[in-house]
Amino acid sequence: MHDLAQFKRLFVTLTAVLTLSAGAVVVDAAVVAAPAAALNNGLALTPPMGFNDWNAFGCNVSAALIEQTADAMVANGMKAAGYQYVTMDDCWMAGQGEPRGSAARATDGRDANGILVPDPTNFPDGIKAVADYVHARGLKLGIYEDAGTTTCQGLAGSYGHEVQDAQTFASWGVDYLKYDFCNLPSQTTGEFAGYSTVDMAKVLYGRMRDALQATGRPIVFSMSLALTSGLEQQTWAAPLGNLWRTTSDISDKWSSVVSIFEQNIQYGAYQHPGAWNDPDMLEVGNGGMTDTEYRSHFSLWSIMAAPLIAGTDLRSATSATLAIYNNKDVIAVDQDKLGVEGSVLSSDGTHYTIVKPLANGDKAVLFLNEGSTPASQSVALSALGFKGRQSARTVRDLWSHENSTVAKTLNATVAGHGVAMFRISGNKLSPAPSHVALYGSASPSYAEAGTNTTVSATLTNDGVAALDGVQVTATAPTGWTVKHGRVAARTVRGSSATQASWIVTVPTATTPGTYAVTLSARYRTPFAGRDSTASTDVSVVVPPAPPTTTSYLSDLTWVTESGTVEKDASAPSAGPGGPGTPGIITIAGTTYAKGLGTTQGSDIQYYLGGHCSTLSGVIGVDDSAFAFGGTPTAEFQVIADGTTVFDQTVAQGSAVDLSQSIGTAKVVDLVVVAGTGFGATAADWANAQVTCS
Ligand code: GLA
């Protein structure tokens, strides 16, 4: 893993180099231009699928790991589902035992003739033996190198050895090269004096592309342009490689998935079969997210036609993890021959409808709910281009694998951090039950012990035929009282809905926490054969007792938090290769003993019950946060009973005084949305305090 301080030093050097080169020689445009021939290797006509060890193992890569993974992929159905490339990432070379930054670490990776040497302990029989093993199982082998003088982990890079390394890889039987962009040649002296970083990248990637082509072996070329920001590589990479990274490194967190999705979804115009945007490898199964979040991650990557590179230990993957990786309905959307990246049809910034046209005239539709509470989301078939009297369609739910009929509008209840994903047939209707959505909510969603809340249900019939015998029941935790609601109608016509509501009483002395009221619906629809059912959970939060005196927030109990939150410490700032450790809250050189340390993509919710009038403190990006090529920023928001009352973006190095009236809000959220920086930048609510009585 990278050491942050080392990277900061590297960055300072890089800035110095860039500053110098600004005034340096003007280079002849003809020399700078990318090589003439575009990549046309006939490979990756659908997004590459496979495995890469980096996300789960970092530098702990070995022949045994790669071979056991290949065996696992055959045994667990992933090979049959289309996963093909088994790739060893950084650290397969000799030199690992040498100290970071030492010359030996970089030079041990080559023999006297300059040929790359694998780590003798971890790859005792060399790479060809691993390739043979993987090939014997019907899979393909991937390897990692770097366009610079050393890899991101300081091992031998390919600069100056491009032709030799391409030949070595081909002779070993390598089928896929992930080629990184760390530790670049000088831009002040030598070959690249006066070059911009982009022009140098074009030359270096063109050189390896041509060297791979010259070997005559089909080798997929993956451009790992992640850690140098501001290159806009999506606009120029297609002639050079089969795929190119579009964002910085993923981490095993929901906020990382959301931030990468929001960037990569914008670049659909730049990719096509054989040349793909790469929003980085999958984290599914690594433990930092819920299965709901992992299903969202996998669905989002698939609707974006992203490479599907599994990044977890497949030798011990759970059945829940494998059910995600092996979802053939979702994989078919990713691998569709048309090769179009999905695009946003509509969004309110939290709830997205994403549409991907498919080769046979079908449309894939994804509803994404970035928020933490369930949402009712919908799309009109007319907005997808299905219009007129024959507009009704058969719709397949790609996670439940059930077909249903939609007449005009498709509705779905989408879990917090969840998705609903469908394939809408381009053909006229075939017989299937009506599509039905059941949505529930509680008002208020907070109920102090001893008080009531109203739980409501809406059952929508999206189909053509009516539903009969409709019943909806509500079940609350034991000891709670549910006053009976009744559905407004037992028969629900096509494209219409019915409602019901219940008064739910929370017993006194209920322990604070989040409780579920389960709504269950039963109805009859043609083509279903028997009674159909649907169910959904409504969350009722029983909050902790609200504060009645002025208090530091770090001394109170929050109701919910998402993202990383530390009390009286700064959150570990993400850096290249992984997070750091929590530290003392420090903004613009001043340290604070009290406060909340968090990162971009966090939401901390407190129940104040209307007792507090002001939220005060000092906000800022922690001094420990790090960004390549610039100053990290973070956007801070205060949301009182659902209304944003404070919203300010703060750059590292400034401390902003916060003294915000929150009226008599019952619920207050402290939110940090994405800003710039490396992954999840550390953001502080120093001295955060509420004035209450
Ligand atoms: C960079 C890449 C990662 C991984 C590491 C290995 O950070 O973006 O995907 O390959 O290098 O050092």
Side-chain angles (χ1 to χ4, degrees):
M1 297 284 143
H2 280 296
D3 156 24
L4 195 60
Q6 182 205 341
F7 257 82
K8 280 187 172 166
R9 278 195 301 279
L10 179 92
F11 173 63
V12 170
T13 325
L14 204 68
T15 321
V17 168
L18 289 173
T19 320
L20 275 176
S21 68
V25 264
V26 179
V27 179
D28 183 348
V31 179
V32 178
L39 177 72
N40 187 14
N41 61 7
L43 300 174
L45 296 180
T46 61
M49 292 175 68
F51 163 86
N52 175 301
D53 62 82
W54 180 256
N55 283 352
F57 297 94
C59 268
N60 295 321
V61 61
S62 65
L65 172 65
I66 298 298
E67 293 175 1
Q68 288 162 12
T69 300
D71 286 337
M73 287 166 72
V74 173
N76 68 19
M78 287 182 72
K79 182 191 160 202
Y83 294 86
Q84 225 185 343
Y85 297 98
V86 191
T87 298
M88 63 188 85
D89 206 281
D90 205 348
C91 302
W92 61 268
M93 284 164 236
Q96 288 259 42
E98 304 294 347
R100 181 173 293 283
S102 69
R105 191 168 166 92
T107 47
D108 278 4
R110 294 191 184 276
D111 70 10
N113 300 316
I115 305 228
L116 284 166
V117 180
D119 183 273
T121 312
N122 294 329
F123 292 88
D125 303 320
I127 304 297
K128 180 150 194 325
V130 182
D132 290 346
Y133 189 98
V134 168
H135 291 156
R137 276 135 195 95
L139 293 164
K140 297 191 156 146
L141 188 75
I143 207 163
Y144 168 100
E145 246 296 3
D146 188 287
T149 52
T150 56
T151 72
C152 297
Q153 301 302 321
L155 297 150
S158 279
Y159 178 56
H161 294 269
E162 290 87 350
V163 169
Q164 184 178 32
D165 289 354
Q167 281 166 0
T168 303
F169 297 147
S171 74
W172 286 342
V174 165
D175 308 293
Y176 182 111
L177 173 64
K178 172 174 171 180
Y179 202 49
D180 218 323
F181 198 56
C182 274
N183 304 318
L184 307 172
S186 168
Q187 284 160 281
T188 47
T189 59
E191 181 182 6
F192 293 110
Y195 274 56
S196 70
T197 312
V198 168
D199 285 333
M200 178 166 66
K202 288 180 180 169
V203 173
L204 289 173
Y205 279 95
R207 200 170 278 170
M208 183 50 93
R209 173 201 63 183
D210 294 344
L212 292 174
Q213 201 99 315
T215 67
R217 184 175 175 84
I219 300 176
V220 172
F221 191 32
S222 157
M223 303 168 64
S224 185
L225 286 152
L227 294 190
T228 309
S229 56
L231 299 178
E232 302 286 321
Q233 56 268 31
Q234 66 280 357
T235 63
W236 50 260
L240 295 168
N242 294 110
L243 58 154
W244 52 88
R245 288 280 300 282
T246 55
T247 66
S248 62
D249 287 8
I250 195 167
S251 59
D252 188 16
K253 280 181 172 187
W254 176 244
S255 57
S256 172
V257 165
V258 165
S259 126
I260 289 181
F261 150 70
E262 289 181 357
Q263 294 168 66
N264 191 69
I265 191 74
Q266 301 174 41
Y267 306 146
Y270 300 111
Q271 57 110 71
H272 53 78
W276 307 100
N277 290 319
D278 174 8
D280 206 359
M281 306 168 296
L282 299 165
E283 293 280 7
V284 175
N286 284 336
M289 290 184 247
T290 64
D291 284 342
T292 297
E293 292 169 337
Y294 283 138
R295 276 191 290 276
S296 301
H297 176 20
F298 194 74
S299 304
L300 283 165
W301 264 233
S302 294
I303 204 142
M304 292 194 295
L308 296 180
I309 309 294
T312 196
D313 188 346
L314 297 176
R315 303 167 305 175
S316 59
T318 62
S319 56
T321 294
L322 290 173
I324 297 174
Y325 280 122
N326 280 339
N327 184 328
K328 295 200 177 104
D329 278 340
V330 175
I331 291 173
V333 171
D334 179 81
Q335 294 291 303
D336 185 76
K337 297 273 181 293
L338 203 55
V340 173
E341 178 173 339
S343 59
V344 176
L345 180 70
S346 67
S347 157
D348 62 6
T350 305
H351 308 97
Y352 288 78
T353 304
I354 302 155
V355 182
K356 181 185 198 287
L358 303 173
N360 68 350
D362 292 1
K363 297 265 165 95
V365 171
L366 183 81
F367 295 132
L368 164 69
N369 177 5
E370 288 182 1
S372 48
T373 51
S376 171
Q377 296 186 229
S378 69
V379 68
L381 294 186
S382 60
L384 303 172
F386 301 125
K387 294 194 173 134
R389 291 178 55 209
Q390 306 272 308
S391 67
R393 284 290 176 280
T394 305
V395 169
R396 184 167 180 80
D397 182 317
L398 303 189
W399 285 102
S400 75
H401 310 291
E402 281 166 4
N403 288 345
S404 61
T405 297
V406 173
K408 290 182 182 146
T409 302
L410 169 64
N411 286 276
T413 300
V414 188
H417 296 184
V419 296
M421 191 172 186
F422 302 95
R423 183 175 184 126
I424 308 199
S425 171
N427 298 323
K428 279 189 298 189
L429 214 52
S430 48
S434 290
H435 186 264
V436 168
L438 176 64
Y439 176 68
S441 61
S443 179
S445 57
Y446 282 78
E448 289 181 45
T451 68
N452 294 338
T453 181
T454 303
V455 171
S456 310
T458 304
L459 182 89
T460 308
N461 175 12
D462 292 340
V464 179
L467 309 180
D468 290 317
V470 175
Q471 294 171 42
V472 188
T473 54
T475 315
T478 323
W480 293 35
T481 323
V482 178
K483 285 226 191 94
H484 220 92
R486 235 168 32 104
V487 288
R490 299 292 295 245
T491 299
V492 181
R493 282 178 294 110
S495 300
S496 61
T498 189
Q499 261 102 20
S501 62
W502 299 261
I503 310 272
V504 173
T505 309
V506 181
T508 49
T510 302
T511 314
T514 302
Y515 295 84
V517 174
T518 302
L519 302 177
S520 309
R522 181 173 282 279
Y523 54 89
R524 288 189 300 274
T525 163
F527 307 113
R530 52 192 142 78
D531 275 13
S532 299
T533 56
S535 77
T536 189
D537 279 350
V538 177
S539 290
V540 176
V541 178
V542 180
T548 50
T549 55
T550 295
S551 319
Y552 283 113
L553 287 178
S554 53
D555 295 336
L556 300 177
T557 307
W558 54 63
V559 184
T560 56
E561 49 89 8
S562 63
T564 312
V565 188
E566 301 289 337
K567 292 181 174 178
D568 303 329
S570 67
S573 212
T581 46
I584 298 168
I585 294 177
T586 313
I587 305 173
T590 306
T591 58
Y592 299 85
K594 300 296 292 177
L596 297 167
T598 183
T599 61
Q600 293 168 350
S602 60
D603 184 342
I604 320 165
Q605 190 169 83
Y606 287 92
Y607 182 76
L608 305 175
H611 293 272
C612 309
S613 56
T614 309
L615 169 67
S616 61
V618 177
I619 54 172
V621 171
D622 196 84
D623 286 2
S624 68
F626 171 71
F628 268 102
T631 308
T633 64
E635 183 180 351
F636 292 78
Q637 296 177 333
V638 178
I639 300 174
D641 283 342
T643 304
T644 306
V645 294
F646 176 89
D647 190 343
Q648 193 171 332
T649 300
V650 186
Q652 191 175 45
S654 21
V656 172
D657 278 319
L658 179 69
S659 177
Q660 179 60 49
S661 162
I662 46 173
T664 50
K666 289 196 165 205
V667 178
V668 170
D669 285 81
L670 277 60
V671 176
V672 181
V673 294
T676 54
F678 189 91
T681 286
D684 301 325
W685 302 84
N687 278 348
Q689 211 175 29
V690 275
T691 316
C692 315
S693 55

